[in-house]
Every structure is written in structure tokens, then in C-alpha cells.
Amino acid sequence: MTGPAKADSALRVADFDFHLPEELIAQQPPTERGASRMLILDRTTDSLADRSFADLPSLLNPGDLLVLNDSRVIPARLFARRANARGKQEATGLIEVLLTSPDAAGNWNSLVRPGRKVRTGDHLEFPSSTGAIALHAEVISSGSFGERTLRFAPVNDFYAALEQIGHIPLPPYIKREDATTDRERYQTVFAQHRGSVAAPTAGLHFTPSVLEAIKARGVEIAKVTLHVGLGTFAPLRVERVDEIHLHSERYTVSAETAEALNCARAENRRIVAVGTTTVRTLEHCAQIAEASPLQPHTGETSIFISPGYEFRLVNAMLTNFHLPQSSLLMLVSAFVGRERTLAAYAHAVHQKYRFFSYGACMFIV
């Protein structure tokens, strides 16, 4: 394979639209983790099959390499009040802050709502449930669409403060406030390295028993870390696909995972990516390695995969169902073809699959 091709200039974002009844958007996780439905799409036979996620181990082959994203979601949704120069709270109402990613200096890129109330130089105070100020931040830069950069005052344990005052950042199509149970269910059972502000949702289906069944079948499991941020979930604000540029997201590939990927590729074994974040990480690493073996490293990727892209590493994919006109739907369309992807989605709608983060999944082979 020759690697990525430029996005088709004739394709428009609107070409990736589909009809989805609102009642099919999952508002709660399934009663039991791993109890979701799974649609099988076979690219060779162009066939669809309605199955359950519990069937996944039997659909994997001995020798397959299954790659997971082990990033951990942080309680990144915060509420603040603006403080004046003397440190007193101003009566401006609550300001919602979604932390999206830290920069090299330790400041946090964020989305602020309502953005018009928060300008560069403003100070924000984040109260705890007792009213005490748990965190304090200064707005050091402003961007479009509510993007702000915050410099937090030093505290003993920043992430402990987030656990105290933060909310799980459920996506906006889930029309409810986060609950205590979301702290567990909006997190994969293999989550390890904290930093994501949205779950790598294809991984939400896995349970310890399913992972053990996969290993027992002779499947190798490896992990990458990509911290989900704006590059994954930000809405697209252009009309043409070739105008899309994604935000960068941080990732890490360990020495163990790099070796596993190199061995699987050399031995022509199937590499199965769990989730679009894993796909993007693997394909980005394949790009920068070119024909050389993959090396362990940490970096950033803004890779955008759309129809015309030629995959270098990924041979099969487990993924949830994605929003209309989203970059993730375009990635799946690059792997399957736009028409086949939209036909599969139409089938899922007709069969009343549950959609998006807490919904069903699709296994593409």
C-alpha cells in the first residue's frame, strides 16, 4: 500500500449525512457491560449480520493482534465563576468549562460556555460542593468557538481536585446530567493513563471475561494510548471534506506494542483495531515510520482519514456508530466505502440498534 491519498475534493461533509431517529440515541449504558448488539460487516462478501458483542471472541482468529486504547477519561467538565481583580466572585452566573488537553507548559486548552463572558485576563474560581475554592485559573488566551487557554494556580494534586469537583464529560447528545454510575460505565475496564475528555467508546463493551476469552483463543492483545480531545469530537465547520483539519491529540506507543505491531506485520497476521482512536494512532505511526519498523515514542497526531486513504496497518476494526457528518464516520467510510457504510447505518437504523457512545458496535472484517 502506498499510504494516504488526498481527500476527494468533490466530497462534501453533507455527503456523510444519514437519518437517525432521536429515540435510537442511547441515553444510558446497557444494563450489563458487554450486552450490546454488534453488526458484522464483511468487506469481502459485502454482507451484514446481526450479532452480539459477546460473539466477538469467536470472530477473532488465533494469531490476531487486537489493539486497544487504554486512555482514561478525566472528570473534565467543570463549573466556575468569574472573579474580579480583588478575588471576589462576580454575579455573572455559572460558567461551564470543558478541559480538552494540556499544553507543553501545563496550561489547559478548554472550551468555555458562554464564551462571550470569558475574556483573556479574566480569573475563574472553581468551587467545591462546600463552597470552598478548589481551583483557580487565569484565562491567558482566547480563540474562536469558545476556545480558551487556562493557567491554573498550583495545587498539591490537580487531578485529585478534578475528581472532587469535576463531572464526567458526557457528550451533548446524551440529554441528561452525568450520574455517579457514569464514572465507571463511561470508562473502559482497561483504562490506565488519564487524559481523555471523551471515552474511546468501542472499548466500553469489553469486560474482563471477554478479554480472557480473547486471550484463550490465541489472540495477542496490545495497547496504545491516545488521549481523546477536540481532534476526535469537535464538530466540522467546513463544507468540503478536503478542507477539514483536525486538532492534535497526544498519543504514546510503548516498546512492547511497537514490537507486537512489527511482528504481526512481518508475519502477515491480522491487526484488529478497537475504536477509531486506535486506528488513527496506528495509521499515523505507520505514516511517520514509512517502510521502517515502528519505534516506541510519544507524539501528537492530527491525522484525518477519509475516502481515498490507503490503510497501512489496520486490517479489521471494531467501532461504535458515529454521528452524521463527522470525521469518524468519514474514517469508517475510508475503510469500507461511503455507500457501504451508509447502507450499514441504514440497516442499523431499520433494526433499531442503539447509537453513539452508549450504543451498539460494528465489527468490520
Side-chain angles (χ1 to χ4, degrees), residues 194-207:
R194 59 193 179 194
S196 280
V197 298
T201 55
L204 295 179
H205 306 280
F206 287 82
T207 65

Side-chain angles (χ1 to χ4, degrees), residues 202-231:
L204 295 179
H205 306 280
F206 287 82
T207 65
S209 61
V210 167
L211 290 169
E212 287 302 317
I214 288 171
K215 292 177 184 177
R217 191 165 172 80
V219 175
E220 185 179 6
I221 297 177
K223 297 173 184 176
V224 297
T225 305
L226 180 134
H227 294 310
V228 183
L230 284 178

Side-chain angles (χ1 to χ4, degrees), residues 30-148:
T31 304
E32 295 183 14
R33 189 189 290 268
S36 298
R37 299 171 71 186
M38 181 170 66
L39 178 64
I40 311 298
L41 193 163
D42 190 319
R43 296 186 295 166
T44 303
T45 62
D46 204 20
S47 63
L48 296 173
D50 299 308
R51 302 285 288 272
S52 299
F53 175 76
D55 298 327
L56 180 66
S58 66
L59 299 172
L60 297 173
N61 303 321
D64 281 351
L65 176 61
L66 185 77
V67 188
L68 311 170
N69 179 6
D70 65 1
S71 180
R72 187 171 188 83
V73 179
I74 62 174
R77 183 170 173 247
L78 310 174
F79 292 93
R81 295 189 185 276
R82 194 168 63 179
N84 62 25
R86 296 182 180 180
K88 295 182 179 180
Q89 289 183 352
E90 295 184 357
T92 56
L94 285 177
I95 295 164
E96 184 176 350
V97 175
L98 177 66
L99 306 180
T100 58
S101 63
D103 63 19
N107 305 312
W108 278 86
N109 302 311
S110 309
L111 293 178
V112 174
R113 189 171 60 178
R116 67 182 183 277
K117 291 185 177 180
V118 181
R119 301 181 178 89
T120 301
D122 284 350
H123 290 257
L124 301 178
E125 293 179 341
F126 298 82
S128 67
S129 58
T130 65
I133 303 303
L135 292 171
H136 182 282
E138 179 185 0
V139 182
I140 60 174
S141 71
S142 302
S144 56
F145 306 115
E147 294 183 27
R148 303 288 186 270

